[in-house]
Amino acid sequence: MLTLNACGGSGEAAATQGDDFVLEGDKLKALNGQVAKMGIVEWHGQLLTKNPDNGGKRIFDLDGRYSPSTGYSELSMDSAIGGDVQQVDYLVVAGRTYFNSEVWGPNAADCWADITDDEEGRSWALPTDLDPTWPVTAARAVKLAGDGVAVGVPAKAVLTGMPRGLFPSVPASLDDIEARAVVTPHGHLIEVGVDVLNMWNALPEEELAAIDTRRAGWWAMTMKESQDGASITPPKYVFDPAVTPPSQCKRG
């Protein structure tokens, strides 16, 4: 992990080091300000085996909208884990969690099952922390990186910001570990790349072996203020799929 160390010096060299620190700190502060002004945050996350520049392969995609003012969230996962292609949707409103599956068919697009009391079985793709701005708000500025800033992000924030089914708990060995990341603004869009692969190096071999998803090596993400002014609202139809067929859910 890169750190900033005081190393003495005087004159132009010392001034340059000081300026760099101010610039990277200011860059991260500006990104935090940009995030703070967002109404509903629209975001896309993609987990890969490693950095895509080095041939990383996609594991799954998440698309979401998050309301900072209410904590409500809409999230959709497109996955091909284990060769099983599937797409599921989640809606979290007023402390209740709802689920919709593509296998129910297009007629059930507005139909949701309340899984608040059954989250363990069906909320695999739902992050523990629904706020997607963690790569910025939990970050520590390290150095400038092109138009962006290289940061350190606590391992806990990384793991709880991704699907809970991947990482049911944060290994104790990661308590004081940071993942390396780069956060880059592109106008209204913020792009993030988190190096998860090197974060695993801090784990003892026996703990690493117990993590089935240790091949998860890179988190690529974008976030922006949603141009869709629609608020996140309770589901239109709620039914029990064990009682009512999905095709009949609007009557359930």
Side-chain angles (χ1 to χ4, degrees):
M1 191 64 226
L2 295 176
T3 57
L4 295 171
N5 297 309
C7 55
S10 61
E12 186 176 344
T16 299
Q17 290 172 353
D19 289 345
D20 285 347
F21 179 78
V22 171
L23 286 172
E24 66 211 15
D26 283 352
K27 175 72 75 172
L28 183 58
K29 183 177 179 181
L31 289 168
N32 268 286
Q34 183 174 340
V35 165
K37 292 177 182 177
M38 293 182 182
I40 291 179
V41 183
E42 186 175 303
W43 63 279
H44 174 79
Q46 188 176 71
L47 188 65
L48 303 100
T49 54
K50 57 183 176 180
N51 189 329
D53 293 338
N54 297 325
K57 304 298 183 182
R58 181 183 77 94
I59 298 175
F60 62 75
D61 291 89
L62 291 174
D63 284 287
R65 296 174 77 241
Y66 172 77
S67 172
S69 63
T70 64
Y72 297 175
S73 183
E74 297 173 332
L75 190 142
S76 177
M77 179 189 74
D78 178 16
S79 169
I81 295 176
D84 181 17
V85 178
Q86 61 176 320
Q87 187 264 317
V88 297
D89 297 316
Y90 296 98
L91 181 61
V92 182
V93 175
R96 308 299 297 180
T97 302
Y98 304 93
F99 172 91
N100 175 284
S101 172
E102 68 171 355
V103 301
W104 294 348
N107 291 334
D110 294 326
C111 302
W112 299 83
D114 188 331
I115 61 168
T116 306
D117 300 321
D118 184 31
E119 289 192 340
E120 185 175 348
R122 287 187 282 184
S123 65
W124 188 95
L126 200 66
T128 301
D129 182 1
L130 294 171
D131 185 344
T133 64
W134 57 267
V136 175
T137 57
R140 176 182 66 86
V142 175
K143 66 176 183 177
L144 294 176
D147 294 330
V149 57
V151 299
V153 183
K156 181 177 181 180
V158 176
L159 299 190
T160 58
M162 292 193 291
R164 63 183 65 172
L166 283 174
F167 313 105
S169 61
V170 179
S173 301
L174 291 178
D175 281 352
D176 300 316
I177 300 301
E178 291 183 330
R180 293 179 293 190
V182 176
V183 184
T184 307
H186 298 283
H188 69 291
L189 183 77
I190 295 176
E191 181 180 3
V192 178
V194 183
D195 184 355
V196 184
L197 187 63
N198 280 301
M199 187 178 77
W200 298 130
N201 293 336
L203 284 175
E205 284 296 325
E206 60 273 16
E207 288 192 37
L208 183 59
I211 300 177
D212 292 335
T213 51
R214 59 188 180 276
R215 69 192 184 105
W218 189 266
W219 178 253
M221 181 176 178
T222 60
M223 68 181 89
K224 63 181 179 180
E225 182 169 23
S226 178
Q227 299 303 299
D228 178 358
S231 60
I232 299 173
T233 59
K236 190 171 183 179
Y237 301 102
V238 180
F239 78 113
D240 184 348
V243 176
T244 305
S247 61
Q248 301 295 313
C249 69
K250 297 174 186 178
R251 302 176 185 176

